[in-house]
Amino acid sequence: ESNLGVYELMIKAASASMKAVPSANASWMESVVRVYDSVDINVVVGTGDKLYTPVIRDCGSKGIKSISDELNAAVEAVESEELTAEFASMGTLTIMNLGMYGIKEFSAVINPPQGAILAVGKGEQRAVVIDGALSVANVMTCTLSCDHRVVDGAVGSKFLTQFKEFIEDPVSMML
């Protein structure tokens, strides 16, 4: 029995954002941009000194529980060094979460031919102003690195705006 976590919500929010901004779900193919129907997300998983990027296929049409099951299977495959060619293949976006290591924010390097990579920092309580009053909120910093041949600033900002809306209101992804 697996527990649903923040990583699963991030994967679902990213895939829902790719569906909402289809031009972000693309890659650079030598001289043309290829836009995909399916959202396949690579997640960065580390073991010792090595990083792996197993793929979770068709996240856009899956529920969070299904994404969680596949994420757990991918992590187990990496840990047992039984990463199959299917898990090891390239998706349409990579998510790298270093928040679990206490990293507040960072920039990640794009995995070609992908058009973007989402770097996720640590979620933590921070002072914020809400309706003119000082308050405390749980905040995390996410940075999107984009290959501008594929995902330019306008498309990247639409993706991040959508991602922010989904991650701040997870129920909206399920409606």
Side-chain angles (χ1 to χ4, degrees), residues 3-174:
N3 293 326
L4 298 180
V6 175
Y7 216 167
E8 290 86 346
L9 287 175
M10 285 186 281
I11 293 166
K12 184 61 184 176
S15 64
S17 300
M18 295 288 249
K19 285 287 195 187
V21 185
S23 52
N25 192 35
S27 62
W28 179 250
M29 307 304 279
E30 300 296 322
S31 61
V32 297
V33 173
R34 178 174 177 194
V35 179
Y36 300 92
D37 292 327
S38 176
V39 179
D40 304 327
I41 295 188
N42 293 96
V43 290
V44 177
V45 178
T47 60
D49 292 337
K50 293 184 178 177
L51 290 179
Y52 299 91
T53 55
V55 68
I56 299 171
R57 294 265 173 230
D58 201 19
C59 296
S61 66
K62 290 183 177 154
I64 293 174
K65 176 70 171 98
S66 177
I67 289 170
S68 179
D69 292 344
E70 289 191 39
L71 176 62
N72 289 327
V75 169
E76 286 175 20
V78 166
E79 289 173 349
S80 65
E81 296 182 358
E82 294 175 11
L83 201 61
T84 63
E86 173 56 23
F87 268 142
S89 62
M90 187 62 67
T92 58
L93 176 78
T94 297
I95 299 176
M96 185 173 197
N97 177 8
L98 293 182
M100 63 190 87
Y101 301 109
I103 306 300
K104 185 174 175 178
E105 64 182 274
F106 66 103
S107 296
V109 177
I110 301 161
N111 296 318
Q114 291 181 350
I117 185 168
L118 184 65
V120 179
K122 177 183 177 183
E124 60 187 1
Q125 291 191 330
R126 297 184 199 164
V128 296
V129 177
I130 299 174
D131 295 327
L134 192 57
S135 186
V136 176
N138 287 318
V139 178
M140 68 180 185
T141 300
C142 297
T143 305
L144 187 69
S145 300
C146 303
D147 177 341
H148 278 233
R149 295 173 299 183
V150 182
V151 178
D152 65 16
V155 172
S157 66
K158 286 178 190 168
F159 171 86
L160 277 176
T161 298
Q162 201 63 63
F163 180 80
K164 179 180 185 290
E165 288 176 13
F166 284 131
I167 208 74
E168 287 179 350
D169 184 15
V171 174
S172 65
M173 292 184 280
M174 294 163 220

